[in-house]
Amino acid sequence: MTEQKLPHSHGQAIESMLDQMPKAEEFQTVAGLFSQLGDSSRIRIFWLLCHCEECVINIAALVQMSSPAVSHHLSKLKACGLITSRREGKEVYYKAAETKEAQLLHHMVEKMVAITCPCP
């Protein structure tokens, strides 16, 4: 990449950082993952599935939501690759994906809860 000159210099070598900056499409991928965690119910479901494998009916009971609402959140989480599912007979079980992204987001959620919601 050719070095870009900024119209106004603040004495920093920020122009050299452009060679290391990921492409805009890569940031869009990250934004898509973060957008899935923009809903507190979805975060709770994701957190739960990081700790266990469960079916829709039980997830709904655990988070005190309707099954259709849980199914909606599950489909969004699955579409972006944060969770996986498997069928056993008529039952479908969900759990967090075993990916670096899912593990990192799980860690971030737990750290943010610990920082922002300290126990009394």
Side-chain angles (χ1 to χ4, degrees):
M1 177 179 252
T2 60
E3 192 168 306
Q4 182 177 349
K5 297 292 183 195
L6 295 176
H8 188 112
S9 175
H10 295 284
Q12 300 174 4
I14 193 69
E15 294 93 346
S16 64
M17 289 299 298
L18 290 177
D19 289 335
Q20 299 172 25
M21 181 182 270
K23 295 180 180 180
E25 300 83 32
E26 295 175 49
F27 284 107
Q28 187 57 46
T29 300
V30 173
L33 285 172
F34 282 148
S35 74
Q36 295 310 309
L37 298 180
D39 182 286
S40 62
S41 295
R42 201 168 298 141
I43 294 172
R44 288 175 64 216
I45 292 167
F46 175 69
W47 181 90
L48 179 67
L49 296 176
C50 288
H51 295 273
C52 66
E53 181 181 60
E54 222 20 286
C55 67
V56 174
I57 299 291
N58 286 349
I59 296 168
L62 289 164
V63 296
Q64 299 176 333
M65 294 175 64
S66 70
S67 292
V70 167
S71 292
H72 170 75
H73 290 301
L74 291 171
S75 69
K76 294 218 174 241
L77 290 167
K78 190 172 179 184
C80 70
L82 290 176
I83 65 169
T84 61
S85 64
R86 70 173 178 88
R87 181 174 291 280
E88 189 174 302
K90 293 183 181 182
E91 207 70 61
V92 178
Y93 293 90
Y94 296 88
K95 68 176 184 173
E98 294 177 8
T99 63
K100 289 179 186 179
E101 295 87 355
Q103 291 171 0
L104 179 59
L105 288 173
H106 174 227
H107 182 72
M108 287 173 49
V109 167
E110 289 201 331
K111 289 294 184 186
M112 289 303 294
V113 168
I115 292 168
T116 60
C117 309
C119 297

